[in-house]
Amino acid sequence: MNSQRRRAWGIGFALLLLAAALMALGAGIGSTGFESVLAARHDPVALQIVRDIRLPRTLGAWLAGALLGLAGAVAQGLFRNPLADPYLLGSASGASLGVAVALMLFGASPGTTQWVTRLGLTGAAFLGAVVAVLLTLLLARGVQQTLRLLLAGVIVGVVLGAMKDLITIASADVLQAIQGFMLGSTGLVGWSGCGVMAALGAVCLFLGWALAPVLDGLALGEATAKSLGLPLGAMRAALVAVLALATGTAVAQTGLIAFVGLAAPHLVRSMVKSTHAWLIVLSAQMGGLLLMAADLGARWLIAPQELPVGVLTAVLGGSYLLWLMHRRSTRGTGP
């Protein structure tokens, strides 16, 4: 156990060092290249580019990825399913519907879209994600039965996604404006968004760490968890709240980012065997590193243009999971 704990400490420290290195690299990647960093000392425009655009965007990518990685670890432990992701409770469809409704109400002209994006789009996405989770809980009649909660999340996601599609079909302007949100982007994350994600992320991390013994108990089976005297109903509700808050916060700032929350816990488990307390912390760090690296790649691959970061994470994350499933199937251990 001590060796595994030392290994977890070492992995956590290494992930922090890699994140710091990518953070420094992110200050130099953009449409104007590393020249902006060199000119920042005596050029106010270059300094503003680095300080107000590149640095908060790179830090925001790490924070959003950390929230998704944390949420993925909680979701996989809560549902006892290694293929569970943060969007299982319908939060992604709810956030998309919230954005579509906001664009429909305020209009989707370029000027209005910019105003909605900066002032109201994140709030609409977060509100939509919260409403979707509440509908899931209502349909599942609470959190007592994990399977019912999972099925309710799938149903709510499908229904809210269909409602979003109806809105976008009715208005071509909304369809074009919401495309960036659906593909995922860190381009509009500023210092205020970083502050929101850091504050709520700290709350989610503390609660996840405190509730980790419940996930350890559930991993042994629900009957075993009950025999340990754990108040499963209240603690499961708290875990759902952590999952919803972390996912809603990340989605509100960056849109729909695929596979980060699903792949991060898998990568951590492949490196170290640990309790859920360490898994949650390391998954948050791994998720932040993955999304930060994907964001840098999205800015660099076809510079000065950019790829949608959600597309890049979907391609890379999907390829990794397919390889992982193939490796496990060849070993005879199943998917």
Side-chain angles (χ1 to χ4, degrees), residues 213-271:
V214 183
L215 299 177
D216 293 333
L218 287 174
L220 300 174
E222 193 155 336
T224 303
K226 290 180 179 179
S227 68
L228 295 174
L230 297 173
L232 289 184
M235 288 187 167
R236 192 182 277 128
L239 286 169
V240 169
V242 171
L243 173 59
L245 181 61
T247 306
T249 303
V251 169
Q253 297 294 332
T254 61
L256 303 185
I257 305 292
F259 281 105
V260 170
L262 180 59
H266 280 276
L267 287 171
V268 172
R269 290 192 196 96
S270 68
M271 293 187 293

Side-chain angles (χ1 to χ4, degrees), residues 1-281:
M1 181 63 68
N2 290 332
S3 63
Q4 292 295 332
R5 185 174 298 177
R6 287 195 298 269
R7 183 174 176 81
W9 273 105
I11 292 173
F13 184 68
L15 291 175
L16 285 178
L17 288 180
L18 288 173
L22 290 182
M23 184 72 184
L25 185 61
I29 294 181
S31 59
T32 57
F34 286 92
E35 293 82 2
S36 297
V37 179
L38 299 176
R41 295 181 178 180
H42 44 77
D43 186 350
V45 176
L47 178 61
Q48 186 176 17
I49 290 174
V50 174
R51 183 187 61 196
D52 297 335
I53 298 177
R54 292 182 183 175
L55 288 179
R57 173 176 181 169
T58 307
L59 178 60
W62 188 89
L63 290 169
L67 286 166
L68 292 174
L70 184 155
V74 171
Q76 291 175 15
L78 180 62
F79 294 108
R80 287 177 289 171
N81 187 340
L83 295 180
D85 74 349
Y87 301 144
L88 275 181
L89 297 182
S91 56
S93 297
S96 302
L97 178 61
V99 171
V101 171
L103 291 173
M104 180 183 66
L105 293 177
F106 292 104
S109 63
T112 305
T113 302
Q114 183 179 8
W115 181 85
V116 172
T117 299
R118 294 190 179 277
L119 297 181
L121 191 58
T122 56
F126 183 79
L127 180 61
V130 171
V131 169
V133 173
L134 292 177
L135 286 175
T136 299
L137 294 176
L138 181 63
L139 184 61
R141 299 178 183 176
V143 296
Q144 298 300 322
Q145 297 186 20
T146 303
L147 180 59
R148 178 181 290 178
L149 185 65
L150 178 61
L151 293 176
V154 172
I155 293 171
V156 169
V158 171
V159 172
L160 296 186
M163 294 174 64
K164 182 266 299 180
D165 291 337
L166 289 175
I167 292 175
T168 54
I169 288 173
S171 174
D173 292 336
V174 172
L175 176 61
Q176 184 177 4
I178 202 176
Q179 186 177 14
F181 179 85
M182 298 297 297
L183 295 177
S185 174
T186 57
L188 293 176
V189 178
W191 287 117
S192 60
C194 290
V196 170
M197 287 191 288
L200 295 180
V203 173
C204 292
L205 187 61
F206 172 77
L207 292 176
W209 177 278
L211 295 168
V214 183
L215 299 177
D216 293 333
L218 287 174
L220 300 174
E222 193 155 336
T224 303
K226 290 180 179 179
S227 68
L228 295 174
L230 297 173
L232 289 184
M235 288 187 167
R236 192 182 277 128
L239 286 169
V240 169
V242 171
L243 173 59
L245 181 61
T247 306
T249 303
V251 169
Q253 297 294 332
T254 61
L256 303 185
I257 305 292
F259 281 105
V260 170
L262 180 59
H266 280 276
L267 287 171
V268 172
R269 290 192 196 96
S270 68
M271 293 187 293
V272 62
K273 294 181 180 179
S274 66
T275 62
H276 277 88
W278 276 107
L279 178 63
I280 287 173
V281 174

